[in-house]
Amino acid sequence: MRPNPGLYFDRFYDVWPDRWGTKEDPTAKALFLDRVITCAKAAKTGDALNAMLARRSDLVRSRSGLSARFKSDWRWTAGLGRSSPVENGFNWHHSLGVPYLPGSSVKGMLRSWYETWGGSADDAKALFGPRPGKGVDLTAGRLIVLDALPVPEVKLVRDVMTPHYGPYYAGGHNPPAPGDWYSPIPIPFLTLAQDQVFDFAILPRRPQDRGILDEVMAQLAAALEWIGAGAKTAVGYGRFTRAEGKGTP
Protein backbone atom coordinates (compact mmCIF):
# COMPACT_ATOMS: atom_id res chain seq x y z
CA MET A 1 0.00 0.00 0.00
CA ARG A 2 1.38 3.40 -0.99
CA PRO A 3 1.55 6.13 1.67
CA ASN A 4 -0.70 9.18 1.59
CA PRO A 5 1.49 12.24 2.28
CA GLY A 6 -1.54 14.41 3.06
CA LEU A 7 -2.71 12.00 5.75
CA TYR A 8 0.82 11.79 7.14
CA PHE A 9 1.10 15.59 7.25
CA ASP A 10 -2.28 16.10 8.93
CA ARG A 11 -2.36 13.19 11.39
CA PHE A 12 1.11 11.80 12.13
CA TYR A 13 3.22 14.64 13.48
CA ASP A 14 5.61 12.77 15.76
CA VAL A 15 8.14 15.26 17.10
CA TRP A 16 6.27 16.62 20.13
CA PRO A 17 8.43 17.44 23.18
CA ASP A 18 8.88 14.55 25.62
CA ARG A 19 7.18 16.46 28.43
CA TRP A 20 4.28 18.89 28.35
CA GLY A 21 5.57 22.43 28.71
CA THR A 22 9.05 21.55 27.47
CA LYS A 23 10.37 23.85 24.78
CA GLU A 24 10.16 22.26 21.35
CA ASP A 25 13.31 21.57 19.35
CA PRO A 26 13.41 24.42 16.79
CA THR A 27 14.55 22.03 14.05
CA ALA A 28 11.85 19.41 14.71
CA LYS A 29 9.24 20.90 12.39
CA ALA A 30 11.71 21.26 9.53
CA LEU A 31 12.77 17.64 9.95
CA PHE A 32 9.13 16.53 9.96
CA LEU A 33 8.45 18.43 6.73
CA ASP A 34 11.46 16.78 5.16
CA ARG A 35 9.89 13.41 6.01
CA VAL A 36 6.61 14.54 4.43
CA ILE A 37 8.53 15.36 1.24
CA THR A 38 10.16 11.92 1.35
CA CYS A 39 6.73 10.35 1.88
CA ALA A 40 5.37 12.24 -1.15
CA LYS A 41 8.22 10.90 -3.32
CA ALA A 42 7.53 7.36 -2.14
CA ALA A 43 3.79 7.68 -2.73
CA LYS A 44 4.21 7.70 -6.54
CA THR A 45 0.90 9.49 -7.06
CA GLY A 46 1.49 10.10 -10.78
CA ASP A 47 -0.58 7.16 -12.06
CA ALA A 48 -3.63 7.97 -9.94
CA LEU A 49 -3.34 11.67 -10.73
CA ASN A 50 -3.05 11.05 -14.48
CA ALA A 51 -6.11 8.78 -14.33
CA MET A 52 -8.06 11.49 -12.52
CA LEU A 53 -6.98 14.13 -15.05
CA ALA A 54 -8.05 11.84 -17.94
CA ARG A 55 -11.50 11.27 -16.42
CA ARG A 56 -11.86 14.96 -15.79
CA SER A 57 -10.87 15.76 -19.37
CA ASP A 58 -13.67 13.46 -20.56
CA LEU A 59 -16.10 15.27 -18.26
CA VAL A 60 -15.01 18.68 -19.53
CA ARG A 61 -15.50 17.61 -23.15
CA SER A 62 -18.89 16.01 -22.50
CA ARG A 63 -20.11 19.20 -20.80
CA SER A 64 -18.66 21.50 -23.51
CA GLY A 65 -16.33 23.05 -20.96
CA LEU A 66 -12.80 24.35 -21.25
CA SER A 67 -9.59 23.43 -19.44
CA ALA A 68 -6.16 24.99 -19.61
CA ARG A 69 -2.81 24.33 -17.98
CA PHE A 70 -0.74 27.01 -16.31
CA LYS A 71 2.82 26.86 -14.98
CA SER A 72 3.93 28.57 -11.78
CA ASP A 73 6.50 31.34 -12.19
CA TRP A 74 7.87 30.64 -8.72
CA ARG A 75 6.84 28.57 -5.73
CA TRP A 76 3.21 27.85 -4.84
CA THR A 77 1.47 27.15 -1.56
CA ALA A 78 -2.09 27.15 -0.23
CA GLY A 79 -3.95 26.31 2.97
CA LEU A 80 -1.48 27.98 5.33
CA GLY A 81 -4.36 29.00 7.61
CA ARG A 82 -5.43 25.42 8.22
CA SER A 83 -4.77 24.04 11.69
CA SER A 84 -1.47 22.16 11.83
CA PRO A 85 1.18 21.20 14.39
CA VAL A 86 3.79 22.89 12.19
CA GLU A 87 1.86 26.19 12.48
CA ASN A 88 1.18 26.40 8.73
CA GLY A 89 -1.27 24.03 7.08
CA PHE A 90 -1.34 22.81 3.50
CA ASN A 91 -4.10 21.89 1.02
CA TRP A 92 -4.05 18.15 0.34
CA HIS A 93 -6.45 16.33 -1.95
CA HIS A 94 -8.01 13.74 0.37
CA SER A 95 -8.08 10.79 -2.03
CA LEU A 96 -5.12 11.57 -4.30
CA GLY A 97 -2.74 12.77 -1.59
CA VAL A 98 -1.43 15.65 -3.72
CA PRO A 99 -1.53 19.43 -3.23
CA TYR A 100 -4.43 21.14 -4.99
CA LEU A 101 -6.45 24.35 -5.12
CA PRO A 102 -10.18 23.89 -4.38
CA GLY A 103 -12.62 25.07 -7.01
CA SER A 104 -14.11 27.45 -4.44
CA SER A 105 -10.71 29.18 -4.14
CA VAL A 106 -10.34 29.47 -7.92
CA LYS A 107 -13.88 30.84 -8.11
CA GLY A 108 -13.18 33.39 -5.36
CA MET A 109 -10.00 34.54 -7.08
CA LEU A 110 -11.82 34.93 -10.41
CA ARG A 111 -14.70 36.78 -8.75
CA SER A 112 -12.33 39.28 -7.17
CA TRP A 113 -10.56 39.77 -10.51
CA TYR A 114 -13.84 40.49 -12.29
CA GLU A 115 -15.05 42.85 -9.58
CA THR A 116 -11.83 44.86 -9.45
CA TRP A 117 -10.04 44.62 -12.81
CA GLY A 118 -11.60 42.32 -15.40
CA GLY A 119 -15.20 43.49 -15.46
CA SER A 120 -17.74 44.62 -12.91
CA ALA A 121 -19.64 43.41 -9.86
CA ASP A 122 -22.62 42.68 -12.11
CA ASP A 123 -20.43 40.49 -14.35
CA ALA A 124 -19.14 38.61 -11.31
CA LYS A 125 -22.66 38.13 -9.96
CA ALA A 126 -23.92 36.74 -13.27
CA LEU A 127 -21.00 34.35 -13.67
CA PHE A 128 -20.51 33.14 -10.11
CA GLY A 129 -23.73 34.01 -8.30
CA PRO A 130 -24.32 36.72 -5.68
CA ARG A 131 -22.19 37.03 -2.58
CA PRO A 132 -23.96 35.70 0.54
CA GLY A 133 -25.52 38.34 2.76
CA LYS A 134 -28.59 39.28 4.69
CA GLY A 135 -31.63 39.39 2.45
CA VAL A 136 -29.68 38.21 -0.62
CA ASP A 137 -31.53 35.88 -2.96
CA LEU A 138 -28.86 33.22 -3.55
CA THR A 139 -28.84 31.82 -7.07
CA ALA A 140 -26.33 29.75 -9.01
CA GLY A 141 -24.04 31.53 -11.45
CA ARG A 142 -23.51 30.61 -15.08
CA LEU A 143 -20.26 28.76 -14.44
CA ILE A 144 -19.05 25.66 -12.60
CA VAL A 145 -15.42 25.97 -11.49
CA LEU A 146 -13.55 22.73 -10.84
CA ASP A 147 -10.58 22.12 -8.55
CA ALA A 148 -7.17 23.03 -9.92
CA LEU A 149 -5.07 19.85 -9.91
CA PRO A 150 -1.30 19.56 -10.33
CA VAL A 151 0.10 17.70 -13.31
CA PRO A 152 2.78 15.07 -12.62
CA GLU A 153 5.46 15.27 -11.56
CA VAL A 154 4.66 17.05 -8.30
CA LYS A 155 7.75 18.32 -6.48
CA LEU A 156 7.41 19.49 -2.87
CA VAL A 157 10.07 21.70 -1.29
CA ARG A 158 10.49 23.17 2.18
CA ASP A 159 10.45 26.95 2.53
CA VAL A 160 10.76 29.22 5.55
CA MET A 161 9.18 32.44 6.76
CA THR A 162 10.88 34.64 9.38
CA PRO A 163 8.34 36.84 11.17
CA HIS A 164 9.99 39.54 13.28
CA TYR A 165 7.02 40.83 15.26
CA GLY A 166 5.84 37.85 17.32
CA PRO A 167 5.97 39.66 20.69
CA TYR A 168 3.93 42.56 19.29
CA TYR A 169 1.18 40.29 17.96
CA ALA A 170 1.14 38.33 21.22
CA GLY A 171 -0.21 41.43 23.00
CA GLY A 172 0.22 41.94 26.72
CA HIS A 173 2.69 44.61 27.84
CA ASN A 174 4.62 44.85 24.59
CA PRO A 175 5.13 48.19 22.78
CA PRO A 176 2.03 49.43 20.91
CA ALA A 177 3.75 49.11 17.53
CA PRO A 178 5.92 46.43 15.87
CA GLY A 179 9.64 46.98 16.03
CA ASP A 180 12.52 45.72 13.93
CA TRP A 181 14.59 44.95 17.01
CA TYR A 182 12.72 41.69 17.68
CA SER A 183 14.58 38.54 16.68
CA PRO A 184 13.18 36.69 13.65
CA ILE A 185 11.70 33.27 14.34
CA PRO A 186 12.13 30.83 11.43
CA ILE A 187 8.92 28.92 10.67
CA PRO A 188 9.16 26.19 7.99
CA PHE A 189 6.29 25.48 5.61
CA LEU A 190 5.59 23.40 2.52
CA THR A 191 5.51 24.71 -1.04
CA LEU A 192 5.56 23.34 -4.56
CA ALA A 193 8.68 23.99 -6.58
CA GLN A 194 8.85 26.53 -9.37
CA ASP A 195 7.45 25.50 -12.80
CA GLN A 196 4.71 23.29 -11.35
CA VAL A 197 1.93 22.85 -13.92
CA PHE A 198 -1.71 22.97 -12.79
CA ASP A 199 -4.83 21.98 -14.75
CA PHE A 200 -7.72 24.46 -14.42
CA ALA A 201 -11.21 23.65 -15.75
CA ILE A 202 -14.48 25.56 -16.11
CA LEU A 203 -17.88 24.20 -17.18
CA PRO A 204 -20.99 26.05 -18.36
CA ARG A 205 -23.93 25.47 -16.05
CA ARG A 206 -26.26 25.43 -19.08
CA PRO A 207 -25.43 24.54 -22.72
CA GLN A 208 -26.29 28.07 -23.87
CA ASP A 209 -23.54 29.47 -21.64
CA ARG A 210 -20.78 27.74 -23.64
CA GLY A 211 -20.11 30.91 -25.63
CA ILE A 212 -18.77 32.84 -22.64
CA LEU A 213 -16.02 30.35 -21.75
CA ASP A 214 -13.34 31.67 -24.10
CA GLU A 215 -13.54 35.12 -22.52
CA VAL A 216 -13.63 33.66 -19.00
CA MET A 217 -10.53 31.55 -19.70
CA ALA A 218 -8.72 34.65 -20.99
CA GLN A 219 -9.67 36.45 -17.77
CA LEU A 220 -8.46 33.46 -15.74
CA ALA A 221 -5.08 33.63 -17.50
CA ALA A 222 -4.80 37.35 -16.70
CA ALA A 223 -5.84 36.83 -13.07
CA LEU A 224 -3.31 34.03 -12.55
CA GLU A 225 -0.56 36.19 -14.01
CA TRP A 226 -1.33 39.40 -12.16
CA ILE A 227 -2.86 38.49 -8.79
CA GLY A 228 -2.04 34.78 -8.51
CA ALA A 229 -3.78 31.91 -6.76
CA GLY A 230 -3.14 30.32 -3.39
CA ALA A 231 -1.39 31.84 -0.38
CA LYS A 232 1.29 34.54 -0.09
CA THR A 233 0.55 35.96 -3.55
CA ALA A 234 1.41 39.47 -2.30
CA VAL A 235 5.06 38.40 -2.02
CA GLY A 236 5.31 36.56 -5.32
CA TYR A 237 3.99 33.07 -4.66
CA GLY A 238 1.30 31.52 -6.85
CA ARG A 239 1.75 33.50 -10.09
CA PHE A 240 1.17 31.49 -13.27
CA THR A 241 1.68 31.74 -17.02
CA ARG A 242 0.08 29.63 -19.71
CA ALA A 243 1.67 26.23 -20.37
CA GLU A 244 1.62 26.11 -24.15
CA GLY A 245 -0.19 23.31 -25.94
CA LYS A 246 -2.04 22.05 -22.89
CA GLY A 247 -5.73 21.88 -22.04
CA THR A 248 -9.06 20.79 -23.48
CA PRO A 249 -10.12 22.61 -26.68
Side-chain angles (χ1 to χ4, degrees), residues 180-197:
D180 289 335
W181 54 84
Y182 295 125
S183 297
I185 302 174
I187 299 176
F189 65 101
L190 279 180
T191 71
L192 287 178
Q194 182 178 343
D195 295 331
Q196 177 65 54
V197 176

Side-chain angles (χ1 to χ4, degrees), residues 5-26:
L7 183 63
Y8 182 64
F9 178 88
D10 285 335
R11 294 289 181 265
F12 291 93
Y13 185 78
D14 59 353
V15 288
W16 299 106
D18 293 335
R19 292 184 301 162
W20 184 257
T22 303
K23 187 174 181 180
E24 190 174 26
D25 180 356

Side-chain angles (χ1 to χ4, degrees), residues 163-172 174-175 177-178 182:
H164 288 67
Y165 310 130
Y168 165 71
Y169 288 114
N174 295 303
Y182 295 125

Side-chain angles (χ1 to χ4, degrees), residues 98-239:
V98 298
Y100 82 114
L101 191 63
S104 57
S105 297
V106 181
K107 178 181 174 182
M109 181 269 296
L110 255 180
R111 180 196 292 276
S112 295
W113 174 260
Y114 265 90
E115 290 176 342
T116 308
W117 295 282
S120 66
D122 289 339
D123 293 334
K125 181 178 179 181
L127 294 173
F128 309 110
R131 289 186 179 273
K134 186 176 181 180
V136 175
D137 183 16
L138 295 179
T139 56
R142 300 172 66 185
L143 301 177
I144 299 172
V145 183
L146 303 185
D147 297 339
L149 297 176
V151 175
E153 294 184 353
V154 180
K155 184 179 180 182
L156 287 164
V157 293
R158 174 165 56 86
D159 208 334
V160 64
M161 60 180 73
T162 53
H164 288 67
Y165 310 130
Y168 165 71
Y169 288 114
H173 301 290
N174 295 303
D180 289 335
W181 54 84
Y182 295 125
S183 297
I185 302 174
I187 299 176
F189 65 101
L190 279 180
T191 71
L192 287 178
Q194 182 178 343
D195 295 331
Q196 177 65 54
V197 176
F198 273 79
D199 187 87
F200 291 77
I202 301 175
L203 309 178
R205 192 168 296 278
R206 302 170 300 175
Q208 56 266 41
D209 291 327
R210 170 62 180 83
I212 65 175
L213 291 188
D214 290 323
E215 171 61 21
V216 172
M217 194 58 73
Q219 295 287 1
L220 174 63
L224 289 172
E225 179 179 0
W226 288 99
I227 64 174
K232 296 179 72 66
T233 55
V235 290
Y237 292 71
R239 306 296 177 91

